Amino acid sequence: MSGEEKGRGGANGKGKKRKYLPHGKPVRKGLYPVRPGVQGFFITCDGGREKQATNEALNLLDRFYEELLYKKNPEAASGMNHSKPLNKKITFDDSDSESDSGSSGDEDEKEEQTDIQNSEEKSETVASTEQEKELVTPKNEEKGGEQIREENEESQPKKARVEIEKPIDELIAEELREMGDRKKRKFVALDSGCNGVIFIQMQRSEEDPSPVEIVQHMMNWAYTTKKHMSRFILRVLPVEIVCYASEEEIEKAIKPLFEKYFPEESSSPKKFAVLYDARANTGIDRMKIINAVAKSVPKPHKVDLSNPDKSIIVQIAKTNCMVGVVEKYKELSKFNLRQLTSQQ
């Protein structure tokens, strides 16, 4: 190695060249960052286990999403329309099972009579076939054998053939392309920018259940069954709105959300509580954000921190603010899967 190459390696640090795209921008590694205007799930996990928690979260969300989707539209899934088998008992003439011993005496007499008739018919057919064999020539025997084979093949039921339009390799390649295409995936992992936190974006259509419905169903199932579902995930929170972390942007973004959950003209006003948490952002005043969110709720509804009907969860990660409205937040261990499944 020459002196010039050593000098270049020392100047660049480790001596590795940075890879650049043709247009001059550096190659991006990792996930895309969270941006305003998306919906999804804010998930906390053990530090340093973000990749494992992401895989667990994607599997869990797919599972509970499909359960809710099938409940809404049972015919939506192709695998849910299987025909039910008929519970009929099939008996055979030549079977010597113990169940035949319990038949009545009349049936036994009928079977004996039929056996006698069958034996007589068999003896007659054997005699007739012997006479026919003597008259038939060898050529006719060959022709008759071919005809019998053709008739037997026609009488037998034909097996259903599965027609594959494309080879298996191409079908597998198409599935891999769909899995790799971000637009066709329902759940996509994004970079939250914080350690111990992952964000899963949901590309939702009108017929799909909302992130709140999926999380509520997941927590209720964990509370009732007490079965461990994950190893690295701690808390799963639904996110219905993502906006820039400022008072003005938050007030604008939460108006349509509060019109849905807290209508102005309601006969039964609801009690609510605002829960705030911030990560990697020390420039925002906590009380200003809480007051701005609480003032955005119409007057018929009141604040009740001890026993709220709805809990407004505000999570701030770097410059993003994520908001979601849930029920039974404290009763369900603040949506902590590990605590829900460990309780007895």
Side-chain angles (χ1 to χ4, degrees):
M1 187 174 182
S2 62
E4 295 180 357
E5 292 178 352
K6 289 182 180 179
R8 290 175 184 174
N12 294 331
K14 296 182 180 180
K16 294 182 179 180
K17 295 181 179 180
R18 293 187 64 186
K19 294 181 180 179
Y20 284 88
L21 295 174
H23 51 272
K25 292 184 179 180
V27 176
R28 180 174 185 80
K29 294 182 179 180
L31 304 173
Y32 289 92
V34 181
R35 61 188 183 278
V38 299
Q39 289 185 348
F41 307 88
F42 185 88
I43 301 172
T44 60
C45 62
D46 297 329
R49 299 290 185 176
E50 288 83 6
K51 290 184 180 179
Q52 294 87 339
T54 300
N55 295 329
E56 286 184 351
L58 292 173
N59 294 330
L60 285 175
L61 293 174
D62 282 329
R63 170 189 167 186
F64 288 100
Y65 164 77
E66 290 178 357
E67 289 182 3
L68 286 177
L69 187 64
Y70 297 157
K71 285 182 180 179
K72 287 185 175 182
N73 297 322
E75 297 180 356
S78 59
M80 299 294 288
N81 294 329
H82 297 298
S83 59
K84 294 182 179 180
L86 298 175
N87 295 325
K88 291 184 178 181
K89 186 177 179 181
I90 301 171
T91 57
F92 299 93
D93 295 337
D94 298 334
S95 63
D96 297 331
S97 61
E98 295 178 359
S99 61
D100 294 335
S101 62
S103 60
S104 60
D106 296 333
E107 293 178 356
D108 294 335
E109 292 176 0
K110 291 179 181 179
E111 290 177 359
E112 290 177 359
Q113 292 177 0
T114 54
D115 292 334
I116 293 168
Q117 293 177 359
N118 291 330
S119 62
E120 293 176 356
E121 291 175 358
K122 286 180 180 178
S123 61
E124 292 177 359
T125 54
V126 168
S128 63
T129 52
E130 289 178 354
Q131 293 176 359
E132 290 175 359
K133 284 182 180 179
E134 294 175 359
L135 299 173
V136 175
T137 59
K139 293 181 180 180
N140 292 333
E141 286 180 0
E142 293 178 358
K143 292 180 180 179
E146 292 177 358
Q147 291 177 358
I148 292 168
R149 289 176 185 174
E150 291 177 357
E151 290 176 0
N152 291 332
E153 290 176 357
E154 291 177 357
S155 62
Q156 290 179 358
K158 295 182 179 179
K159 295 182 180 180
R161 296 180 180 177
V162 180
E163 295 183 357
I164 300 174
E165 297 179 356
K166 297 181 180 179
I168 297 174
D169 296 338
E170 293 183 4
L171 295 174
I172 294 172
E174 289 181 359
E175 290 182 0
L176 293 174
R177 288 170 191 167
E178 291 180 359
M179 292 173 63
D181 191 357
R182 295 171 59 87
K183 295 181 180 179
K184 293 183 179 180
R185 285 184 287 175
K186 184 63 63 176
F187 301 103
V188 181
L190 300 179
D191 185 11
S192 64
C194 301
N195 294 329
V197 176
I198 59 176
F199 187 89
I200 306 296
Q201 178 188 358
M202 180 179 180
Q203 298 179 356
R204 184 192 171 199
S205 61
E206 295 180 357
E207 298 179 355
D208 293 338
S210 64
V212 175
E213 293 175 348
I214 295 173
V215 174
Q216 291 283 172
H217 177 55
M218 185 189 299
M219 297 303 157
N220 290 330
W221 189 89
Y223 179 76
T224 54
T225 59
K226 304 295 181 184
K227 291 183 179 180
H228 295 279
M229 294 184 289
S230 65
R231 184 179 176 185
F232 306 103
I233 294 174
L234 297 176
R235 187 172 295 171
V236 182
L237 303 174
V239 175
E240 297 179 276
I241 287 175
V242 178
C243 63
Y244 182 73
S246 67
E247 295 182 35
E248 296 178 355
E249 294 294 331
I250 292 171
E251 290 177 356
K252 291 179 183 178
I254 61 179
K255 279 184 180 180
L257 183 65
F258 287 176
E259 290 177 359
K260 174 183 175 182
Y261 290 104
F262 305 102
E264 294 183 2
E265 298 178 358
S266 62
S267 58
S268 58
K270 297 179 181 179
K271 298 176 287 185
F272 69 93
V274 180
L275 305 173
Y276 174 89
D277 193 7
R279 292 175 174 83
N281 192 329
T282 57
I284 296 179
D285 190 356
R286 176 174 178 273
M287 291 308 301
K288 286 184 179 180
I289 300 298
I290 293 175
N291 292 331
V293 174
K295 288 178 181 179
S296 299
V297 181
K299 288 184 179 179
H301 310 283
K302 297 180 180 179
V303 177
D304 189 352
L305 301 178
S306 59
N307 188 20
D309 298 325
K310 301 279 187 181
S311 297
I312 304 170
I313 302 173
V314 180
Q315 294 284 338
I316 293 178
K318 285 193 172 182
T319 59
N320 293 316
C321 177
M322 291 156 273
V323 184
V325 181
V326 297
E327 296 178 354
K328 298 181 180 180
Y329 184 67
K330 292 183 179 179
E331 291 84 345
L332 295 173
S333 301
K334 297 182 178 179
F335 288 12
N336 192 316
L337 286 177
R338 189 172 294 178
Q339 292 182 5
L340 277 175
T341 54
S342 62
Q343 292 176 358
Q344 294 180 355

